[in-house]
C-alpha cells in the first residue's frame, strides 16, 4: 500500500486526537461559544499543544506489532498495549495520561498471563465504549492491503482485534461497519458512495444479528440528520455515528476536524475515528501545516507509518 495513504491515516488520526485532547468532555454549548479553531494547550488534561492521547498510542502500538511480526499476532499486540500501560511507550510525551476503564481492565486481565489475548476483552453490555474502534484502522489497512478486500474472514480478524479489549458484539460490529466503509474508500469511492455500499455490506454480514438494530440510524437519511441529533459521547455507536456524520457533511480535512471536535463530548476519540479516515481521503497535504508543526513526535509518527506501509 502506498505510504502516503498510511501517513495520511496516522497523521490525520493523531492531529484530530490532539485537537480534541484539551476539550475532552467539554459541553457542546461551551464550544459553540468558544469553538476550537487551532491547536490548544492545557485544558482537560493539562498537556502541551499537539499532544495526542491513548487513541493514537494504541493505534501506533498495533502498527508496531504488525510491522515487526509482518502479520497479525494478537498476543504481541496485547504486549504492546501492556508496555503502553505500564511504561508509557508509544506516547506523545513519554507518559500515559488517559485510559478507558474497559481498556484498563482488559489489559490488566491480560497481564496475568492466564488467558490468551483475545479472551481478555470485556463482554458486558456496559462495556461498549469506543476503545477498540479508535485503534482499529491499522488492522483494516493491513488486511485490505494484503488481501484486497474486507470480507467474512477479514471481519473475524477485525472482531478478534476488537476483543483484545472490547469483546461485546456491539463493539465488534462497530469495528466491522467501520472496516467495510473504509474498504470502499480504499477501493476508490467517495465518502457518500463508500458509506452507502459499506452499509449494504454490513446488512449482509450483520443483518440477522440482534445487536445490529443499534445501528439502524445509519441509513440513506443519516447524513441529513440535524446536528442536535448527533451525540458524541463515549458509547461506541455514538462515536461511530459522530465520525461518519462529520465525514459525510464536510469536503476537506480542516472542516472535518473542526466539525467533529466542536461536537464536544469524547472529542479526542471521535476526532481520531473521523480524522484517520479523512487523512486517507484527503492526504497529508490537506492537513493544515500549522497543526502538523506542533504535533508531538511528528517525525516518529511518519517513520512508524512508513515502516507499516512496507508490510501492507
Amino acid at each position: 500500500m502506498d505510504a502516503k495513504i498510511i501517513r495520511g491515516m496516522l497523521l490525520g488520526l493523531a492531529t484530530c486526537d490532539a485537537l480534541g485532547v484539551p476539550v475532552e468532555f467539554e459541553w457542546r454549548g461551551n464550544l459553540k461559544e468558544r469553538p476550537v479553531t487551532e491547536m490548544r494547550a492545557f485544558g482537560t488534561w493539562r498537556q502541551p499543544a499537539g499532544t495526542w492521547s491513548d487513541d493514537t498510542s494504541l493505534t501506533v502500538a498495533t502498527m508496531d506489532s504488525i510491522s515487526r511480526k509482518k502479520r497479525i499476532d494478537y498476543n504481541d499486540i496485547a504486549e504492546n498495549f501492556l508496555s503502553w500501560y505500564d511504561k508509557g511507550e508509544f506516547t506523545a510525551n513519554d507518559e500515559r495520561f488517559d485510559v478507558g476503564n474497559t481498556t484498563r481492565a482488559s489489559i490488566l486481565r491480560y497481564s496475568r498471563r492466564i488467558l490468551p489475548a483475545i479472551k481478555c476483552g470485556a463482554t458486558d453490555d456496559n462495556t461498549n465504549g469506543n476503545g477498540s474502534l479508535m485503534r482499529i484502522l491499522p488492522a483494516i489497512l493491513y488486511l485490505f492491503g494484503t488481501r484486497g478486500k474486507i470480507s467474512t474472514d477479514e471481519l473475524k480478524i477485525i472482531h478478534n482485534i476488537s476483543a483484545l479489549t472490547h469483546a461485546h458484539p456491539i463493539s465488534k460490529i462497530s469495528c466491522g461497519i467501520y472496516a467495510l466503509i473504509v474498504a470502499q474508500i480504499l477501493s476508490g469511492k467517495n465518502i457518500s458512495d463508500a458509506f452507502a455500499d459499506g452499509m449494504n455490506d454490513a446488512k449482509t454480514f450483520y443483518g440477522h444479528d440482534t445487536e445490529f438494530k443499534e445501528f439502524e440510524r445509519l441509513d440513506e437519511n443519516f447524513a441529513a440528520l440535524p446536528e442536535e441529533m448527533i451525540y458524541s459521547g463515549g458509547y461506541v455507536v455514538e462515536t461511530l455515528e459522530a465520525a461518519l456524520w462529520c465525514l459525510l457533511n464536510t469536503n476537506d480535512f480542516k472542516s472535518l476536524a473542526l466539525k467533529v471536535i466542536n461536537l464536544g463530548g469524547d472529542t479526542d476519540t471521535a476526532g481520531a475515528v473521523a480524522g484517520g479516515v479523512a487523512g486517507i481521503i484527503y492526504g497529508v497535504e490537506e492537513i493544515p501545516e500549522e497543526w502538523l508543526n506542533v504535533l508531538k513526535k511528528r517525525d516518529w509518527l511518519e517513520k512508524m507509518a512508513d515502516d507499516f506501509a512496507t508490510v501492507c
Side-chain angles (χ1 to χ4, degrees):
M1 185 174 290
D2 190 336
K4 290 182 179 179
I5 294 174
I6 310 296
R7 280 196 177 200
M9 178 277 291
L10 185 56
L11 291 179
L13 187 153
T15 297
C16 288
D17 180 2
L19 283 167
V21 164
V23 293
E24 188 177 8
F25 313 128
E26 191 82 22
W27 181 51
R28 189 176 300 178
N30 290 345
L31 291 174
K32 291 288 187 186
E33 295 179 5
R34 185 173 175 258
V36 173
T37 59
E38 60 187 358
M39 287 285 185
R40 292 183 182 178
F42 305 111
T44 303
W45 295 102
R46 306 297 297 170
Q47 296 292 320
T51 299
W52 32 268
S53 72
D54 55 331
D55 305 74
T56 303
S57 291
L58 294 179
T59 297
V60 176
T62 303
M63 293 172 65
D64 172 77
S65 174
I66 297 173
S67 296
R68 284 188 294 100
K69 305 290 283 190
K70 296 181 172 55
R71 59 187 176 87
I72 289 175
D73 182 320
Y74 304 123
N75 278 15
D76 191 73
I77 295 172
E79 287 291 339
N80 272 2
F81 291 177
L82 184 59
S83 293
W84 162 76
Y85 184 82
D86 278 347
K87 303 173 185 176
E89 294 186 14
F90 310 107
T91 57
N93 297 313
D94 302 317
E95 65 172 352
R96 172 182 57 79
F97 63 86
D98 186 16
V99 57
N101 292 332
T102 300
T103 296
R104 177 194 293 109
S106 299
I107 290 173
L108 291 177
R109 198 173 297 120
Y110 173 76
S111 72
R112 302 185 187 109
R113 306 298 201 283
I114 297 172
L115 296 172
I118 60 172
K119 296 294 185 181
C120 292
T123 58
D124 295 342
D125 289 343
N126 63 350
T127 57
N128 279 304
N130 49 29
S132 63
L133 181 64
M134 70 187 195
R135 57 170 173 78
I136 205 70
L137 266 177
I140 299 169
L141 293 180
Y142 173 75
L143 290 170
F144 188 88
T146 55
R147 303 186 182 195
K149 60 186 175 65
I150 298 291
S151 192
T152 304
D153 290 343
E154 290 74 36
L155 285 174
K156 289 178 181 177
I157 296 171
I158 294 293
H159 294 166
N160 284 342
I161 293 179
S162 175
L164 297 176
T165 54
H166 294 69
H168 191 280
I170 289 175
S171 290
K172 292 180 179 180
I173 293 172
S174 295
C175 291
I177 290 172
Y178 189 57
L180 291 167
I181 293 171
V182 170
Q184 295 290 341
I185 292 169
L186 292 170
S187 296
K189 295 180 182 176
N190 62 45
I191 181 59
S192 181
D193 290 342
F195 173 77
D197 292 344
M199 286 310 302
N200 283 333
D201 289 342
K203 290 173 187 175
T204 298
F205 288 112
Y206 300 118
H208 298 296
D209 293 1
T210 301
E211 292 82 5
F212 191 60
K213 68 179 185 299
E214 289 291 305
F215 305 90
E216 62 188 4
R217 296 210 310 172
L218 298 175
D219 60 15
E220 64 274 10
N221 300 312
F222 174 69
L225 290 176
E227 183 180 286
E228 57 266 26
M229 292 186 67
I230 302 300
Y231 314 109
S232 50
Y235 178 42
V236 67
V237 179
E238 292 183 3
T239 300
L240 180 64
E241 287 187 348
L244 293 174
W245 185 83
C246 290
L247 286 161
L248 288 164
N249 283 285
T250 52
N251 295 302
D252 62 84
F253 187 92
K254 184 174 183 178
S255 297
L256 172 281
L258 298 181
K259 182 176 281 289
V260 70
I261 298 305
N262 286 307
L263 288 177
D266 200 353
T267 49
D268 58 332
T269 302
V273 173
V277 178
I280 294 171
I281 295 171
Y282 301 114
V284 174
E285 59 272 16
E286 292 298 321
I287 303 174
E289 193 64 28
E290 63 268 26
W291 295 353
L292 289 174
N293 284 341
V294 296
L295 189 67
K296 296 297 182 182
K297 295 187 178 178
R298 174 184 175 180
D299 291 346
W300 178 75
L301 291 172
E302 290 177 344
K303 181 181 185 305
M304 297 301 291
D306 290 347
D307 288 348
F308 185 69
T310 65
V311 301
C312 290

